[in-house]
């Protein structure tokens, strides 16, 4: 069980690397948006893509070209759960749901989590996984 501590807030650099017109600095995202972006980055980053941390990320994309089934959805769910647990200490993962949609050749993902140290209801992040080359 992680140690509960009061949060001072979270801040990350926006992936657009745009310029803030007020202070001429890089645009940042804060708090819930920063954590949601971090979770997406963990899921969509393949191990070996992040310099100096070759294990960072998930192997979800390796399963996207399999036949869409409950077993593949379970493997993807377990990989997302493992990756977020290992690489995002700011959240307590509540549930990961992966639903195959064979007609559209996609997997619908729902992640429910609680931000550690913040007095707010559980957050929900939804996205679609598509096989792309």
């Amino acid at each position: 069980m992680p140690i509960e501590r009061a949060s001072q807030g979270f801040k990350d650099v926006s992936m657009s690397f745009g310029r803030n017109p007020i202070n001429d600095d890089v645009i940042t995202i804060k708090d819930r948006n920063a954590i949601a972006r971090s979770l997406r980055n963990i899921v969509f980053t393949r191990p070996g893509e992040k310099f100096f941390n070759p294990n960072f990320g998930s192997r979800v994309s390796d399963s996207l070209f399999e036949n869409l089934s409950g077993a593949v959805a379970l493997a993807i769910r377990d990989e997302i759960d493992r990756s977020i647990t290992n690489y995002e200490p700011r959240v307590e993962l509540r549930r990961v749901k992966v639903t195959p949609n064979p007609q559209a050749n996609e997997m619908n993902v729902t992640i429910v989590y609680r931000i550690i140290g913040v007095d707010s209801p559980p957050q929900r992040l939804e996205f679609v996984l598509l096989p792309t080359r």
Side-chain angles (χ1 to χ4, degrees), residues 18-89:
R19 182 178 64 91
N20 185 331
I22 296 171
N23 62 11
D24 219 25
D25 201 359
V26 176
I27 294 175
T28 59
I29 53 176
K30 296 180 182 179
D31 300 327
R32 288 184 288 209
N33 291 334
I35 292 192
R37 174 63 58 121
S38 175
L39 295 177
R40 285 181 57 88
N41 287 344
I42 290 169
V43 172
F44 287 105
T45 300
R46 291 176 174 221
E49 286 184 340
K50 185 173 181 183
F51 294 122
F52 306 110
N53 193 351
N55 297 322
F56 179 87
S58 75
R59 291 180 168 78
V60 166
S61 60
D62 296 345
S63 300
L64 293 178
F65 289 99
E66 302 289 331
N67 291 329
L68 297 182
S69 67
V72 172
L74 184 61
I76 289 174
R77 184 200 71 190
D78 291 344
E79 180 64 17
I80 291 172
D81 187 293
R82 181 198 63 77
S83 299
I84 291 173
T85 301
N86 287 341
Y87 298 110
E88 186 49 86

Side-chain angles (χ1 to χ4, degrees), residues 31-33 35-36 39 91-95 110-115 118-126:
D31 300 327
R32 288 184 288 209
N33 291 334
I35 292 192
L39 295 177
V91 301
E92 175 188 313
L93 203 53
R94 295 285 175 93
R95 183 179 75 228
T110 303
I111 300 171
V112 179
Y113 58 95
R114 188 179 73 80
I115 302 172
V118 174
D119 188 24
S120 67
Q123 304 297 306
R124 181 184 187 100
L125 175 64
E126 296 178 340

